[in-house]
Amino acid sequence: MHKKGYLSQYFVAVAAKRLSTVEVNIKKSNQHEFNGSEALKKVLGTNEVGETITFRSRFVWMGDDNETTTSDAQLSWYDARFGKERAAEWRLYFPTTDVSQRAQAGDLLIIAKRPDNTLLCIITPAQTTVESQLLWLFEVPVQAGKSFVYQDFQQSGDKEIDFPVRFILEELGIEIEDTETDFLDSILLRLKGKMPTTKEFSILTRQSLKDIAPLEDPDTALMSWMNHEEKLFRRMERLELEKRLKQGFFDKDGNVDVEGFLKFSLSIQNTRKSRAGLALENHTEEIFRLYQIKFDRAKITENKAKPDFLFPGAREYHLASFKSENLTMLGVKTTCKDRWRQVLSEAKRINNKHLLTLEPGISENQTNEMMAHGLQLILPASIHTTYNAAQRAWLMNLKEFISYLKSRQINLKDFSGELFS
């Protein structure tokens, strides 16, 4: 049974393994098959009569360079010894696709069964952020070996669909269903049909979510606000989309306006991404304000660069007599990918920079590179579990960063001789 609002709503079970040379190199083998291990049997099932079972499947190849390749195909699950007086030998046949042609030996393969009996087959290179995120999401062993390993979501591993889980599922092309629609609609009624600014929407989010204690637990507060605003915005987006689709897409001559529909679809995607980033900045700003941290937001440093936050502020940054070691900057990005490097050039006076993100399971290769460039990664405490032990020893949470800022602010006088409050 799947639980609404949890991972089991979207997946029944998964099998994972590392691809071998014979499975990916069509020059060495025309086999195009996986042996039917016990893990695969648990995911795909078997029948006594040995009939071939076919699965509608979507193949997805994902890399850290934001490149994704998808293909639709049918997989055949059959008993190679059917009709013979020997024990069954199940095999999974897969056709050549654009995705399978990208696969390399050592890549991670995850075969995930959906509740509608279709399969999602994901391939990603080893030691990438995508791999790290998938291993965490599906709770399969980090060193998935040559044989398939099995995981279901009935007894364990059934994660609630919070921000990190939603992020990974959407990267896989899975649209998350609305939950708590009546509650969300009751909140959106306060807008009276008007489209709010991102700042107004973030304020509405905080006002409509009760029992949040940012001064006790800023990490939980930030994640609660972000989860709530994400749900609210998606509900508002869906209602607006339904309204627009009912109107239809036609040009002035009454013909179907395909170009108009594509532009509308693209604008929704871009708006969703930009609003998420601004929401994170808005809620982070509110927490700094509650903690009486002195800061400036989005002020120019050099060459039109605008760090998301400067501490204690832009005035101090541009005063040559203010020591650079007393300056702090914070970049804020819901997801990092390769964009974390942008932060490095946003405040030249500050050697060691900080970056707040909500992205789960960034690869160890990437975090090592961040360390080498003097960039400290900050994540809400609940997301730290998506990283390995070595990474967690280095990561900061939001409460720790606030303590760091407060300690620097204490007894630091501004240039009018007053103590920062």
Side-chain angles (χ1 to χ4, degrees):
M1 292 290 293
H2 70 262
K3 291 169 62 178
K4 195 167 185 179
Y6 283 77
L7 198 57
S8 60
Q9 182 178 352
Y10 302 94
F11 296 102
V12 176
V14 301
K17 75 183 298 290
R18 295 215 178 272
L19 293 171
S20 65
T21 301
V22 71
E23 290 164 339
V24 300
N25 192 332
I26 59 176
K27 293 180 180 179
K28 291 191 175 183
S29 172
N30 292 316
Q31 186 178 359
H32 279 72
E33 289 180 334
F34 298 114
N35 290 328
S37 65
E38 289 303 313
L40 268 186
K41 290 177 184 178
K42 288 180 181 179
V43 174
L44 304 179
T46 59
N47 57 55
E48 294 182 0
V49 297
E51 292 178 351
T52 298
I53 306 172
T54 57
F55 292 93
R56 288 187 297 110
S57 307
R58 165 148 290 192
F59 280 81
V60 181
W61 184 95
M62 300 177 69
D64 278 354
D65 55 0
N66 295 330
E67 188 177 356
T68 301
T69 302
T70 61
S71 299
D72 291 326
Q74 280 200 339
L75 296 185
S76 298
W77 177 234
Y78 73 102
D79 178 7
R81 293 177 175 173
F82 177 62
K84 299 177 182 178
E85 295 182 358
R86 288 187 292 172
E89 185 180 286
W90 286 88
R91 295 178 184 174
L92 182 63
Y93 171 83
F94 61 97
T96 299
T97 65
D98 290 340
V99 171
S100 65
Q101 288 181 324
R102 297 201 65 166
Q104 301 289 325
D107 287 358
L108 178 69
L109 166 68
I110 293 178
I111 297 177
K113 190 176 183 181
R114 305 288 306 278
D116 62 0
N117 213 40
T118 62
L119 300 179
L120 179 63
C121 304
I122 314 159
I123 299 175
T124 187
Q127 298 183 335
T128 58
T129 292
V130 175
E131 181 196 66
S132 177
Q133 292 169 345
L134 293 173
L135 292 172
W136 169 79
L137 180 70
F138 294 121
E139 292 194 5
V140 294
V142 174
Q143 297 301 325
K146 293 182 179 179
S147 298
F148 280 102
V149 294
Y150 171 77
Q151 175 65 283
D152 68 22
F153 307 104
Q154 307 310 310
Q155 304 301 323
S156 64
D158 195 9
K159 293 180 172 64
E160 188 173 1
I161 307 298
D162 58 7
F163 196 97
V165 174
R166 188 187 306 116
F167 166 77
I168 299 172
L169 293 183
E170 288 176 353
E171 290 286 293
L172 294 171
I174 296 173
E175 189 69 21
I176 306 303
E177 295 181 20
D178 287 334
T179 58
E180 306 173 303
T181 53
D182 291 342
F183 171 60
L184 298 175
D185 288 347
S186 69
I187 297 171
L188 294 175
L189 283 174
R190 304 180 196 179
L191 299 175
K192 298 180 180 180
K194 296 180 180 179
M195 183 64 72
T197 64
T198 54
K199 188 172 184 178
E200 291 168 341
F201 203 79
S202 294
I203 292 172
L204 174 65
T205 295
R206 295 193 293 269
Q207 290 175 342
S208 60
L209 195 62
K210 306 302 181 184
D211 301 322
I212 303 299
L215 288 175
E216 295 177 17
D217 190 348
D219 293 85
T220 298
L222 182 62
M223 289 306 300
S224 298
W225 287 338
M226 285 300 297
N227 276 310
H228 188 47
E229 178 155 349
E230 181 79 0
K231 290 178 183 178
L232 271 175
F233 179 72
R234 286 179 179 278
R235 183 58 181 165
M236 183 178 69
E237 179 187 70
R238 187 175 186 85
L239 294 174
E240 290 296 317
L241 180 58
E242 288 176 355
K243 188 189 304 182
R244 184 67 184 86
L245 288 175
K246 286 179 181 177
Q247 296 174 1
F249 290 86
F250 303 97
D251 61 22
K252 61 182 180 181
D253 298 320
N255 299 314
V256 174
D257 186 8
V258 176
E259 195 68 29
F261 173 78
L262 292 174
K263 287 181 179 179
F264 178 73
S265 177
L266 185 61
S267 71
I268 284 180
Q269 295 177 45
N270 291 337
T271 300
R272 180 184 292 182
K273 292 176 182 177
S274 64
R275 288 189 74 106
L278 289 169
L280 182 56
E281 291 178 36
N282 292 337
H283 297 312
T284 303
E285 178 179 15
E286 175 67 7
I287 288 174
F288 290 151
R289 187 188 65 78
L290 291 172
Y291 274 90
Q292 299 184 327
I293 301 291
K294 191 176 187 304
F295 67 90
D296 276 327
R297 180 176 170 184
K299 298 295 184 180
I300 292 176
T301 51
E302 305 94 2
N303 301 322
K304 298 183 179 180
K306 292 182 179 181
D308 295 312
F309 292 95
L310 273 175
F311 311 90
R315 181 172 71 98
E316 291 81 3
Y317 184 88
H318 289 292
L319 252 130
S321 56
F322 193 90
K323 294 180 179 180
S324 59
E325 57 263 33
N326 291 326
L327 296 167
T328 307
M329 72 145 289
L330 176 70
V332 176
K333 295 184 183 297
T334 50
T335 62
C336 286
K337 299 191 182 292
D338 284 338
R339 295 181 301 126
W340 63 266
R341 293 181 179 84
Q342 297 170 4
V343 175
L344 301 178
S345 61
E346 288 181 346
K348 292 181 179 178
R349 287 194 65 193
I350 303 173
N351 292 325
N352 296 314
K353 298 174 170 64
H354 294 78
L355 174 62
L356 171 67
T357 187
L358 304 182
E359 183 165 1
I362 296 173
S363 70
E364 195 165 4
N365 288 340
Q366 287 270 17
T367 55
N368 286 342
E369 191 175 350
M370 291 176 186
M371 281 188 269
H373 282 86
L375 180 66
Q376 173 65 57
L377 199 60
I378 303 164
L379 298 110
S382 62
I383 304 180
H384 285 214
T385 59
T386 69
Y387 290 74
N388 67 37
Q391 291 172 302
R392 290 197 297 269
W394 164 71
L395 295 173
M396 289 182 78
N397 61 40
L398 183 56
K399 189 170 187 176
E400 290 169 339
F401 181 61
I402 290 169
S403 296
Y404 170 78
L405 293 174
K406 293 287 281 186
S407 67
R408 291 167 68 81
Q409 189 167 291
I410 291 174
N411 297 325
L412 181 61
K413 293 183 178 181
D414 68 15
F415 291 90
S416 62
E418 297 176 350
L419 290 173
F420 294 148
S421 62

